[in-house]
Amino acid sequence: MIATLNKSKTALTINRQEFKLALAKVGTGIDKQIASFKKAKQSYDSSEIANEIISEANIFEAIIQGFNEAEETNLKLTDITNLELAQGWIDEFLEKYSNE
């Protein structure tokens, strides 16, 4: 599970391993998109592609929404206990594409 809901159903903790696995799957999609641009000899900005996909995915909002629907909670982004740390994992992920 990508996050753990505390017993009082008032906070979530993002699970590092599951979250990074999910990011890796997103990365596979980005890599395929970049490969198709290369094959077609089209210009691209790998950093822009990765940032756009991550922004559109609204990962944290999707996690919150999923738990709110499944657990009948009313959690908000501020209820993610390790949000700053998880954002760091996204930043590390995006850094990979800024170096290409």
Side-chain angles (χ1 to χ4, degrees):
M1 186 167 269
I2 203 159
T4 304
L5 184 62
N6 70 0
K7 290 182 183 198
S8 63
K9 295 187 176 186
T10 58
L12 284 175
T13 300
I14 304 294
N15 298 327
R16 180 183 185 273
Q17 184 176 3
E18 293 294 323
F19 191 75
K20 288 203 168 196
L21 283 172
L23 285 176
K25 289 179 182 180
V26 170
T28 299
I30 292 170
D31 293 342
K32 286 180 181 177
Q33 188 175 15
I34 289 170
S36 69
F37 282 127
K38 285 181 180 178
K39 186 176 180 180
K41 296 183 180 180
Q42 292 179 320
S43 62
Y44 65 92
D45 180 334
S46 58
S47 178
E48 185 178 317
I49 291 168
N51 277 298
E52 186 176 314
I53 288 171
I54 290 295
S55 295
E56 287 178 11
N58 284 325
I59 294 169
F60 300 121
E61 289 287 344
I63 292 170
I64 291 289
Q65 183 179 357
F67 273 90
N68 283 341
E69 290 174 7
E71 299 290 335
E72 297 180 2
T73 57
N74 191 24
L75 299 168
K76 297 171 186 61
L77 280 178
T78 55
D79 296 322
I80 297 177
T81 60
N82 59 343
L83 183 61
E84 190 172 309
L85 183 59
Q87 183 60 54
W89 301 330
I90 288 178
D91 293 344
E92 287 173 14
F93 171 81
L94 292 174
E95 190 174 309
K96 169 185 164 187
Y97 293 98
S98 67
N99 296 328
E100 288 190 2

